[in-house]
Structure formats: C-alpha cells, structure tokens
C-alpha cells in the first residue's frame, strides 16, 4: 500500500492529492472503498471542478482536503502543509450545500464569524466590501430566516472568503437551489472569483456549472471512486453567460456527459 | 455500525455505572450519616419495604394511590384527545381551548384543591388533579400531532376528494399517533404528581398520606419507602411507555 | 405587538377576540357562578366570588406579605435551579464519561414525580424557609439540566463541519456555537419549570412552613375560613399565571431572534 511515488518535501502545487484512497467501515462490518487512489494536482489560483454522480466519492475528496476526514492511504498537502494545520491557522474557506448559517446571527455577524473563531479583530470594512461583492448591501442586519435560498448561499460564500483563505472549498454550494437561481448564482460566483482568484475546488454534479466555472474539470466514476477523465476548459476569463450557448461549450458538455454515463455511451 | 454499536455500548455501560454510583452513594451517605439521621441507608429502606408484616400496609396504600393515578390518567387521556379532536375539526374553538389548557397548566393544583374537595370529595381530589395534569400534556401533544401531516399528503386527500371526516380518520389521526404516544409517556409522572398532591390535602388513604404522616412523625424509613414506591412505579410505567413509543415511531414514521 | 393590533380593531372585533381566546376560561367561571346560584350551597362550603374578593381587599397586608414571600422563593429558586442545571449540563458536556453518567440519571429523575421528594427534603434539611428555597431549586434543576444538555447537542445542520474547517478551538466552538444553540431549549426549560416552581414553593409551605401562601392556605382551611382559603387560591393562581406568562413571553421573544 505504500505510495509508489517518491516522497518530495516540496511541490509546486497549491493542493497536492497524492495517491489518496479512503475506505469506510460499514454498518455490517464490511468496508467500502469510497475513493480509490486518486492523484490530483491543483495549481495556485486554479479553479478545479470535481464532477460525478452522487456517491462517487467527490465529496469525500473535498472533505479530505478540508481535513474533515483522514485519508486511508496516500497523503494530501496544501501549500506543502498538512490540511489540518491549515485549518488550525484559519486558512481554509468553505461553503456547503447546507448553508450552515447560524440562525441567531445577522448577515453581518455570520460573515464576521470566522474572525471571531480565529480570535482576530473584526474588519468591518472588509465585511462591507464583501457584502457589496456578493450583492447583499442593505441586508447587513437581516437574519438568515428572512433570506431566500440564493441569498443565504451568497452569505455563505462571503463568509468563506472573509479571511482571504489560501484555498476555497465549495461542496455543491448551489445544489439546493432551483435551476434559474442556480444559473444566476453561477454567473455571480464566476464574477466574484474573478476578483479574488483563490485556488478553488468545486464539487458538483452539474456539467454546465463545472464547465462555466472551472479551469479544469475532473470527471469521477463511482464505487470505487476514481478519476476517469480530465479536461482543460479553454474559455477566456471573465466569462460571460453567453459562453454557455457556444458550440464549443456544447461539445465539451457532451463529452463530459458521455464520460459521466459510460454505459449509455457503450450502448449507443 | 461497529462504531455506532460501540457508542451505544459505552452509553449503556456509563448509564448503568451512573445508576450504580447513585445507589452506592445513597448507601454510603446513609451508612456514615453524612446527611444526618434523616437519610437512611438504601439497604435499610429496602429491608423496611420488604418486611412481610408491612406488606398489607404498603399494598393498601399502593392500591388506593395507583387506582387514583390510573383513573386520572385514563380520564385525562380521553378528555385530552376528545378536546384536541374537537378543536381540530371545529377550528374557531382552538384559541380558546389553547388558552384554557395553558391556564389550567399554570394554576398550581394546590389552589384548585379546595374546589375539588367541595365539588367532589377528599378521596378523589388526587384523581381530579391527575386528570387535569394529564389532560394538559395530552391536549398539547395531540393538537400538535394532528397538524403534523404534511402539505403534500393533505393536498393528495383534497385531490382524491376525501371528506373532512375521512381525512381526519385516515390521515390526521395516524399522523398524530407518534406525538400522542410521546405525550402519553410524559403524562405518566404528571399523573403520579397529581394523585400524590391530592392525597396531601386530606385523603385518608394512599402513598401520599403515608409520606406526610411519616414526615410529621419522623418515621424516616417509612417516608423513604413510600417515595421509593411511587418513584419506581412511575419509572416503570414511563419505561413501558418508552417501549411503546419506540414501536410506534418505527411503525408510523 | 398584539396590543396595538387589538387597539386597531373595532370594539366588536376586540370582544370577538376576547371570546375566541377565553371562551374556555369564561365557560368554567360561568359554570361555577351558575352552580353556586342554582344549588345555593352553604357559604362555608363554597364562598361566593364576591366574598373571596372582599377577603383579599380587606386583608391586603397578610396577602401581600405571604404572596410576595412565595413569589420571591419561587422566582429565586427557579433562577438558581436553572443556573445550577445549566452549569452541570455544561460540565457534563465537556466530558463523555460525565455526560454518559449524568444524563441517564437526569432522565430518570424527570420521569418520577419529583414533587414526592418534598417531604424527604423537608426532613433532611429541616423545617425552614431556606428548605423551601432548596426544594424549588432542586425541582427546577431537572428540566434545566435535561433540556440544556439536549440543547448543547442540537447544533444547526452543517455547523460542526464549518467550525472544524474554520479551525475553531474547543472554547471558541463552545462560545460561538454550542452555547447559543442551547438557548431555545433553555427557554423551553424555563417555561416548563415556572409553574412547578410556584407549586413546589406553595406545597413546601403548606407541608411545613410558618409563613407564605401555602401556610396561609393551610391555616385558613384549618379554621374553615373558606373565603380566605379561596382568596389564597386566587392569589396563588395569579402569581403562577404571572410567572408562566412571563416565561412564555420571554420564550417567544427569544425564539423570534433565535430561529
């Protein structure tokens, strides 16, 4: 099981997922291979999307990078460091499908939460800037229960960005939204990301979302989860929504869809 | 499950350990008189309790108290369910009934005792207070349970053209069942409290009377025995209801 | 808020609101009055409402003194019991072993009639006003402990992962996540514990006291002074409803902000 890769003390990668595997022990004592030897390098300032059907282990990879789980085999490094030490230094930003806003805090205080958790003085100017960036000016004192689903995710993304993290982790952030809102949020996220250019890892099952947002799309297949395809997205930034209607976008989308559904490809 | 089973096993071991520690502490405090002469050893209380010559005394007291508890429980249960069903079907009655139930809950039963003594008799005052206590718990549980059917299900019944009564019988009632059973569980100690309180206001029988007379006459083992009997009975009934609740949750949710 | 809404309504609307909210209470009061009038029972057995009222108005001193004592004991005991229950719940939260031992015990004590412990506590601690306070503290302790313990574990979905990724220390996790999460449950405990606090203070006074509403009630009953006995009931009910309403209002306000 030892990594066949020579251990290098220093890599040029922002995120280095080095031959990582993850095995869960199930209820009946059997083991489930959630991730089978995934090897993935992400450059500094790169936006990578992990695309796959549900249960393919893509969320597990994100949780491994977020230090929420430990890999069974292989190792993960962010900026040459252990993910756990980065989270302890408050250098990770994260947004989940479940917005995880604290219901008793106002929008402003939810965004300020990472400062308090890190024990740093709250930078009110930075909060005001981010509120503007995510389009929530005027909602500072609203509470999460008063916001729509899309607005809650904007707050959640502003909270992920507030501490200028080294890495931004997005786990299906728009998965619970309706299709129209979701498309709109993708355009917004693309614009926001263009301003900050943080190394990002997005987990999604939407082909269009992955293509529109990412520099590189990694397709995974399930049980056990492994990488089946990787394509570089050629579109210039900043991207306009119209790019989704080009022939190139459609042919790439078809290619990714085929990679997602190999059985159908074999049948046709 | 390996992990979850281990968690559960740890919970069980710690729970048993806690109860064991509690009983040992009870014995030790009694043995070394750490809390004075009025804290008997657990073993003394048990010996007192199971002394054959006192069987008659305890059995009579238990019979009197438990019949009040049971009667009050059943009455409160029936009235609570009936009222909840009534305000569910005739909705305008609901705010008034809600307010009435919460006022009933807020009134200290001791304040109602004189009314019950006049209206009924000293012997059944405990039952009346138990009825009120149980009524409140059951009414609150049932009204909230009756509203727990989902929007989708209600729409389905509307689309298939079910009558209000049909919907009540086939949808609202089964949906309310888990909440009702939880209410029935929490109503158990409420019924015991009601019956004991009632007996303190001048009943001539029952565990409550034993407690008060033992307290006044410094009959320490008798006092603790009576409290132990009432607590154990309530705990056993509560445990039985928890089992029923678990079954119902598995079946209806 | 409901007050201004009521003022805006016409007086007819106000009357309707009153009837729709209080028909149950009104019906019981009317039934009482009707029963007294029709059956014409002896005033010693069942006093007329007006005699009860007169008794209260004519003895303001003793009602005030005993009533305020009971209110203070109940409210003070409630606050102290809630504080103690919260403290123990927090201590138990910090340790798997402690919570594994204490939480089942707390559940056991909440499923037995704790009011039955009053005579035991009275004998243990002696007949004294401080014993009344201790009884209220102990009876308020159990709901506070059980509900706060559950609240400390009822965290918003996803928040635990969030705090871990943000690198929160255990202390900051406690201050910014765990403690605030327990607030709604804490308010439930306060509302549930308020009526038993008043009740147990009165019952303790009734069983052993030399002052307070419970004692006053007992003295009146012994002297067959039914007007005074019912007057005590009325004042006790007022105090209990006051405590319960205050707790319910506090809960509603907090939930508006918290959920």
């Amino acid at each position: 099981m030892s990594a066949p890769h020579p251990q290098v003390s220093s890599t040029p990668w922002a995120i280095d997922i080095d031959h990582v595997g993850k095995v869960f022990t199930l209820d009946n004592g059997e083991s489930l291979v959630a991730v089978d030897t995934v090897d993935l390098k992400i450059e500094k300032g790169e936006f990578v999307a992990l695309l796959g059907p549900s249960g393919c282990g893509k969320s597990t990879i994100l949780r491994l990078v977020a230090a929420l789980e430990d890999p069974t085999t292989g190792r993960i490094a962010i900026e040459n460091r252990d993910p756990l030490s980065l989270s302890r230094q408050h250098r990770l930003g994260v947004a989940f499908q479940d917005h995880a806003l604290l219901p008793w805090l106002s929008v402003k205080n939810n965004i300020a939460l990472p400062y308090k958790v890190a024990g740093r003085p709250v930078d009110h100017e930075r909060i005001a800037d981010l509120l503007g960036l995510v389009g929530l000016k005027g909602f500072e004192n609203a509470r999460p229960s008063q916001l729509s689903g899309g607005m809650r995710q904007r707050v959640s993304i502003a909270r992920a960005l507030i501490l200028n993290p080294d890495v931004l982790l997005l786990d299906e952030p728009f998965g619970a939204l309706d299709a129209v809102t979701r498309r709109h949020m993708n355009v917004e996220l693309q614009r926001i990301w263009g301003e900050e250019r943080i190394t990002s890892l997005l987990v999604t099952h939407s082909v269009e979302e992955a293509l529109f947002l990412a520099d590189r799309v990694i397709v995974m297949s399930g049980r056990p989860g492994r990488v089946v395809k990787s394509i570089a997205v050629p579109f210039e930034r900043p991207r306009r929504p119209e790019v989704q209607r080009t022939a190139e976008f459609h042919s790439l989308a078809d290619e990714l869809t085929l990679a997602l559904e190999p059985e159908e490809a074999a049948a046709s | 499950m390996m992990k979850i089973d281990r968690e559960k096993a740890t919970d069980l071991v710690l729970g048993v350990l806690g109860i064991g520690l509690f009983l040992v502490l009870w014995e030790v405090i009694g043995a070394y008189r750490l809390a004075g002469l009025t804290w008997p050893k657990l073993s003394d209380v048990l010996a007192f309790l199971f002394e054959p010559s006192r069987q008659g005394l305890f059995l009579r007291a238990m019979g009197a108290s438990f019949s009040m508890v049971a009667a009050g429980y059943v009455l409160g249960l029936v009235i609570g369910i009936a009222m909840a069903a009534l305000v569910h079907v005739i909705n305008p009655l609901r705010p008034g009934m809600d307010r009435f139930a919460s006022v009933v809950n807020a009134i200290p039963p001791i304040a109602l005792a004189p009314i019950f003594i006049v209206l009924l008799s000293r012997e059944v005052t405990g039952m009346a207070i138990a009825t009120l206590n149980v009524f409140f718990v059951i009414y609150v549980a049932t009204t909230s349970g009756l509203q727990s059917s989902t929007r989708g299900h209600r729409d389905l019944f509307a689309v298939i053209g079910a009558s209000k009564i049909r919907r009540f019988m086939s949808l609202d009632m089964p949906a309310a069942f888990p909440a009702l059973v939880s209410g029935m569980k929490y109503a158990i100690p409420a019924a015991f409290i009601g019956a004991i309180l009632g007996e303190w206001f001048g009943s001539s029988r029952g565990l409550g009377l034993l407690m008060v007379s033992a307290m006044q006459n410094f009959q320490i083992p008798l006092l603790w025995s009576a409290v132990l009997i009432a607590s154990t009975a309530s705990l056993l009934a509560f445990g039985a209801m928890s089992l029923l609740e678990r079954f119902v949750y598995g079946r209806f949710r | 808020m409901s007050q201004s809404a009521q003022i805006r309504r016409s007086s007819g609307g106000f009357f309707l609101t009153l009837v729709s909210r209080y028909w149950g209470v009104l019906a019981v009061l009317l039934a009482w009055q009707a029963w007294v009038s029709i059956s014409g029972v002896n005033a010693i057995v069942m006093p007329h409402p007006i005699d009860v009222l007169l008794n209260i108005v004519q003895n303001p001193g003793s009602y005030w003194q005993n009533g305020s004592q009971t209110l203070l004991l109940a409210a003070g005991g409630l606050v102290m019991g809630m504080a103690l229950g919260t403290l123990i719940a927090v201590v138990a939260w910090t340790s798997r072993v402690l919570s594994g031992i204490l939480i089942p015990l707390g559940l056991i004590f909440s499923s037995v009639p704790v009011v039955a412990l009053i005579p035991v506590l009275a004998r243990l601690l002696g007949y004294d006003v401080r014993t009344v306070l201790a009884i209220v503290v102990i009876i308020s302790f159990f709901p506070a402990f059980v509900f706060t313990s559950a609240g400390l574990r009822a965290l918003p979905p996803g928040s635990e992962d969030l705090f871990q990724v943000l690198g929160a220390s255990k202390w900051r996790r406690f201050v910014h996540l765990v403690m605030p999460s327990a607030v709604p449950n804490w308010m439930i405990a306060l509302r549930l514990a308020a009526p038993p606090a008043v009740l147990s203070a009165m019952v303790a006074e009734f069983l052993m006291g030399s002052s307070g509403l419970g004692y006053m009630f007992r003295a009146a009953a012994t002297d067959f002074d039914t007007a005074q006995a019912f007057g005590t009931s009325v004042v006790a009910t007022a105090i209990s409803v006051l405590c319960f309403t205050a707790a319910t209002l506090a809960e509603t306000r907090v939930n508006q902000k918290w959920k």
Side-chain angles (χ1 to χ4, degrees):
Chain A
M1 273 299 184
S2 68
H5 224 61
Q7 285 280 331
V8 268
S9 56
S10 154
T11 60
W13 311 109
I15 304 178
D16 183 4
I17 301 172
D18 185 12
H19 295 84
V20 162
K22 176 69 184 173
V23 180
F24 288 107
T25 309
L26 289 182
D27 294 2
N28 51 17
E30 286 176 28
S31 48
L32 172 88
V33 183
V35 175
D36 181 32
T37 334
V38 165
D39 202 59
L40 180 61
K41 320 287 181 203
I42 299 174
E43 278 176 50
K44 203 170 176 61
E46 191 182 15
F47 194 130
V48 170
L50 277 179
L51 182 67
S54 50
C56 73
K58 56 189 193 299
S59 282
T60 306
I61 292 185
L62 184 130
R63 290 177 66 82
L64 289 164
V65 175
L68 288 168
E69 309 272 359
D70 289 324
T72 313
T73 54
R75 67 181 264 284
I76 291 181
I78 303 174
E79 310 268 347
N80 287 313
R81 307 177 68 128
D82 177 31
L84 192 60
S85 69
L86 255 86
S87 86
R88 294 233 171 97
Q89 291 170 24
H90 323 291
R91 286 163 62 185
L92 298 179
V94 71
F96 301 107
Q97 173 173 346
D98 195 352
H99 53 79
L101 299 179
L102 300 185
W104 55 84
L105 294 181
S106 65
V107 164
K108 198 172 57 189
N109 287 333
N110 260 297
I111 298 177
L113 183 72
Y115 284 120
K116 296 191 175 136
V117 164
R120 292 181 201 162
V122 176
D123 182 344
H124 294 281
E125 225 169 285
R126 167 92 177 136
I127 293 176
D129 287 350
L130 269 176
L131 273 167
L133 185 64
V134 299
L136 281 176
K137 270 234 149 64
F139 289 93
E140 291 83 354
N141 297 316
R143 296 195 311 105
S145 58
Q146 299 166 312
L147 303 180
S148 68
M151 288 160 96
R152 285 177 203 166
Q153 284 305 346
R154 288 167 194 258
V155 180
S156 157
I157 283 167
R159 182 181 60 190
L161 293 171
I162 190 80
L163 291 182
N164 294 312
D166 294 9
V167 168
L168 180 62
L169 302 170
L170 304 165
D171 190 359
E172 298 265 11
F174 311 131
L177 304 181
D178 64 86
V180 178
T181 313
R182 183 172 191 159
R183 201 163 297 174
H184 185 65
M185 289 301 296
N186 281 335
V187 175
E188 293 283 294
L189 179 59
Q190 201 275 139
R191 177 180 61 77
I192 294 163
W193 189 82
E195 304 266 327
E196 308 249 337
R197 297 253 173 180
I198 299 169
T199 310
S200 299
L201 183 61
L202 167 76
V203 162
T204 181
H205 58 246
S206 159
V207 171
E208 287 75 20
E209 186 168 283
L211 266 182
F212 182 65
L213 289 172
D215 298 315
R216 192 146 55 99
V217 180
I218 311 289
V219 183
M220 291 186 67
S221 74
R223 298 179 209 281
R226 61 159 73 92
V227 174
V228 291
K229 194 177 186 70
S230 165
I231 66 166
V233 181
F235 309 117
E236 286 296 309
R237 287 185 193 272
R239 292 174 189 165
R240 307 179 60 77
E242 293 80 57
V243 82
Q244 297 179 74
R245 289 195 285 275
T246 61
E248 197 179 8
F249 191 93
H250 284 298
S251 76
L252 282 173
D254 288 345
E255 198 183 332
L256 289 172
T257 309
L258 274 179
L260 274 174
E261 295 161 356
E263 294 89 359
E264 281 180 32
S268 64
Chain B
M1 196 84 129
M2 292 300 279
K3 199 180 167 198
I4 294 168
D5 268 351
R6 203 177 303 147
E7 282 282 294
K8 271 191 183 157
T10 315
D11 276 340
L12 192 68
V13 168
L14 288 174
V16 171
L17 183 71
I19 296 165
L21 275 176
F22 171 74
L23 297 177
V24 167
L25 210 61
W26 179 347
E27 182 76 13
V28 168
I29 292 176
Y32 292 96
R33 306 262 160 89
L34 298 176
L37 291 169
T38 52
W39 183 302
K41 287 192 294 184
L42 171 63
S43 52
D44 287 352
V45 175
L46 290 177
F48 186 89
L49 197 55
F50 289 108
E51 161 80 42
S53 63
R54 295 194 190 90
Q55 296 274 311
L57 172 77
F58 284 128
L59 284 177
R60 273 195 306 280
M62 281 159 72
S65 292
F66 294 168
S67 58
M68 289 299 110
V69 170
Y73 186 83
V74 171
L75 261 177
L77 182 66
V78 170
I79 299 174
I81 293 175
M83 287 301 155
L86 179 75
V87 301
H88 184 72
V89 176
I90 309 173
N91 228 303
L93 293 180
R94 175 137 194 213
M97 201 62 205
D98 282 357
R99 201 56 66 106
F100 176 71
S102 73
V103 169
V104 163
N105 172 51
I107 297 175
I110 185 174
L112 291 172
I115 298 175
F116 287 140
I117 290 168
V118 172
L119 277 177
L120 308 162
S121 81
R122 285 182 185 279
E123 301 310 321
V124 294
T125 299
M127 182 198 73
I129 297 175
T131 303
L132 278 187
N133 284 354
V134 172
F135 158 76
F136 172 72
V137 178
I138 296 293
Y139 175 79
V140 170
T142 313
T143 44
S144 75
L146 283 172
Q147 291 182 314
S148 64
S149 58
T150 60
R151 178 83 189 256
H153 283 125
R154 284 200 293 272
D155 288 350
L156 172 71
F157 272 69
V159 169
I160 61 177
S163 67
K164 205 168 181 183
I165 299 294
R166 178 88 273 193
R167 198 189 87 179
F168 182 75
M169 298 303 289
S170 315
L171 176 64
D172 297 346
M173 286 276 274
F177 212 55
L180 172 62
V181 173
S182 294
M184 286 167 69
K185 183 177 79 171
Y186 292 113
I188 298 264
F192 274 88
I193 289 174
I196 292 168
L197 279 177
E199 287 169 354
W200 287 350
F201 302 120
S203 173
S204 57
R205 296 176 290 175
L207 291 169
L209 177 74
L210 275 190
M211 288 175 202
V212 172
S213 72
M215 174 185 82
Q216 280 156 355
N217 299 316
F218 271 96
Q219 293 162 296
I220 302 305
L222 178 63
L223 168 60
W224 285 64
S225 299
V227 173
L228 187 62
I229 292 174
S231 302
T232 309
S234 175
L235 192 60
L236 288 178
F238 191 89
M241 277 296 163
S242 306
L243 289 180
L244 179 67
E245 184 189 32
R246 189 176 279 193
F247 169 74
V248 167
Y249 272 55
R251 173 68 183 74
F252 285 88
R253 269 181 34 164
Chain C
M1 203 167 82
S2 71
Q3 259 182 348
S4 64
Q6 278 176 6
I7 289 166
R8 259 185 268 118
R9 280 187 205 141
S10 67
S11 60
F14 174 72
F15 184 70
L16 271 181
T17 314
L18 197 73
V19 170
S20 103
R21 282 197 188 154
Y22 290 99
W23 67 265
V25 182
L26 291 173
V28 168
L29 288 179
L30 282 176
W32 177 12
Q33 184 61 53
W35 182 71
V36 172
S37 314
I38 294 165
S39 68
V41 279
N42 191 325
I44 300 221
V45 179
M46 190 72 165
H48 282 266
I50 191 75
D51 292 335
V52 175
L53 206 65
L54 273 179
N55 188 286
I56 297 177
V57 176
Q58 284 164 357
N59 304 292
S62 64
Y63 275 107
W64 170 252
Q65 197 187 342
N66 290 306
S68 59
Q69 181 184 326
T70 303
L71 176 62
L72 274 179
L73 285 172
L78 178 63
V79 169
M80 287 161 68
M82 289 293 296
L84 191 65
T86 310
L87 183 72
I88 303 290
V90 168
V91 169
W93 176 84
T94 59
S95 148
R96 174 86 176 85
V97 173
L98 273 180
S99 57
I101 287 176
L102 291 177
I103 289 174
L105 279 179
L107 288 173
I108 287 177
F109 270 90
S110 357
S111 58
V112 304
V114 270
V115 174
L117 294 178
I118 294 177
V120 168
L121 292 168
R123 252 319 38 119
L124 270 179
L125 305 173
Y127 284 22
D128 189 358
V129 178
R130 280 171 297 180
T131 303
V132 177
L133 185 69
I135 285 168
V136 180
V137 170
I138 289 169
I139 285 184
S140 312
F141 167 84
F142 290 106
F145 171 72
V146 169
F147 278 85
T148 308
S149 286
L152 293 173
R153 286 161 181 82
L155 309 179
S159 57
E160 268 183 295
D161 282 350
L162 175 76
F163 273 70
Q164 204 182 327
V165 176
L166 289 176
S169 62
K170 187 159 185 172
W171 167 245
R172 291 228 158 83
R173 201 168 85 89
F174 180 74
V175 170
H176 293 293
L177 177 62
V178 175
M179 205 65 180
S181 297
V183 168
N185 264 29
W186 198 86
M187 298 310 297
I188 294 177
L190 184 65
R191 164 170 54 85
L192 290 181
V198 178
L199 172 69
S200 52
M202 271 193 80
V203 170
E205 288 165 353
F206 174 86
L207 289 177
M208 61 174 197
S210 52
S211 56
L213 276 186
Y215 172 74
M216 191 177 169
F217 173 79
R218 182 183 183 157
T222 320
D223 297 344
F224 295 103
D225 186 352
T226 43
Q228 179 128 318
F230 275 77
T232 322
S233 289
V234 170
V235 174
T237 301
I239 288 176
S240 188
V241 171
L242 184 80
C243 287
F244 180 70
T245 310
T248 310
L249 285 180
E251 187 190 9
T252 314
R253 287 197 71 146
V254 167
N255 278 348
Q256 276 169 4
K257 184 164 158 37
W258 234 256
K259 284 185 177 167

